Amino acid sequence: YLWRNEQKGAEKAFQKASQLAPHNTEIMLMYGEYLRKNFHFNRALELYQMAGKLDPLSIQILYGLARVYEARSELEEALQVYTQIRQIDPSSSTGYGPASGIYILLGNIAQMQYWTFNALKLDPEDVDLVGWVVRGYLNLGDYTSALQWLSWIEQSHPDYPLVLADRAMLSIYEGNIGASIAYSKKAIEQRLPDRWGSDSI
């Protein structure tokens, strides 16, 4: 509650919870996320690794671990964790969608699109994944396909923050900076949801 409502005392509360239940993986998971989002990557890594030993099949713990590796620029390690997730649960888009973000950091847009489309097959209702498709086409210079995907998702989610952010990006490519600023401001006002960690590192 303290963390989500940006009030003081969250760190102490997490420490107290850890003392009271040192082997509780749910506490480790939440505390690890808190540390990661506050740029304490080494401490977060220790917590996720500890939690992973207690519950090696937890998709949530592995996802958190991959995000920490990504934040530490250990991209190959992150990809290995996403491979683990796919092996544990091939039906979960968690092993596919976030991996596309790693490939965009590596500059491999083709692989990024491959994993995004695989994730969409598993979770076709995920608006964030459609956003990644749009960004992939933008990076490939295929503005026509980017606009087609963006126009399609705008029909059902016109004011969704990530859709607005994608429209802002497309406006930049089109040379319309004024429109990009307007869409960006509107997206920021509505705050980005945290489906795939879109509001943080």
Side-chain angles (χ1 to χ4, degrees):
Y1 173 84
L2 294 171
W3 171 28
R4 297 299 185 188
N5 290 279
E6 300 178 352
Q7 297 185 26
K8 295 180 180 179
E11 176 82 19
K12 288 184 179 179
F14 276 124
Q15 290 174 352
K16 182 65 174 177
S18 298
Q19 291 170 1
L20 292 170
H23 302 296
N24 186 309
T25 56
E26 186 175 348
I27 293 171
M28 293 178 189
L29 188 64
M30 286 189 290
Y31 194 10
E33 184 183 2
Y34 169 84
L35 291 169
R36 174 173 61 83
K37 291 185 176 182
N38 284 280
F39 307 99
H40 301 296
F41 304 134
N42 292 339
R43 291 170 59 199
L45 180 62
E46 290 175 6
L47 268 178
Y48 281 122
Q49 288 175 332
M50 190 184 312
K53 290 178 181 177
L54 294 169
D55 189 356
L57 299 180
S58 169
I59 301 299
Q60 286 184 302
I61 292 171
L62 287 170
Y63 173 67
L65 179 62
R67 293 306 306 279
V68 172
Y69 280 135
E70 180 182 348
R72 288 163 51 103
S73 297
E74 297 171 340
L75 304 183
E76 292 301 327
E77 287 82 353
L79 287 175
Q80 289 174 10
V81 175
Y82 288 126
T83 299
Q84 280 182 264
I85 292 173
R86 292 193 298 272
Q87 290 171 343
I88 292 169
D89 186 1
S91 67
S92 171
S93 63
T94 305
Y96 299 82
S100 66
I102 303 296
Y103 282 109
I104 202 169
L105 292 173
L106 291 169
N108 192 334
I109 306 303
Q111 279 293 312
M112 175 258 191
Q113 290 288 70
Y114 172 80
W115 291 110
T116 303
F117 279 113
N118 272 283
L120 271 173
K121 289 177 185 176
L122 296 169
D123 191 359
E125 302 301 318
D126 189 335
V127 181
D128 289 13
L129 290 173
V130 176
W132 283 109
V133 172
V134 173
R135 292 169 197 203
Y137 280 125
L138 287 175
N139 279 281
L140 290 169
D142 186 349
Y143 306 139
T144 301
S145 294
L147 180 58
Q148 287 175 342
W149 278 86
L150 182 55
S151 298
W152 172 67
I153 199 63
E154 281 177 331
Q155 293 177 23
S156 55
H157 297 81
D159 295 320
Y160 189 77
L162 284 180
V163 173
L164 291 168
D166 288 338
R167 177 56 76 173
M169 291 179 68
L170 181 58
S171 297
I172 290 174
Y173 282 93
E174 293 172 336
N176 192 339
I177 304 302
S180 177
I181 292 172
Y183 283 118
S184 297
K185 285 182 177 178
K186 190 173 181 181
I188 290 170
E189 288 169 1
Q190 297 191 36
R191 297 182 67 110
L192 293 173
D194 194 21
R195 168 63 167 147
W196 294 122
S198 54
D199 70 345
S200 68
I201 288 181

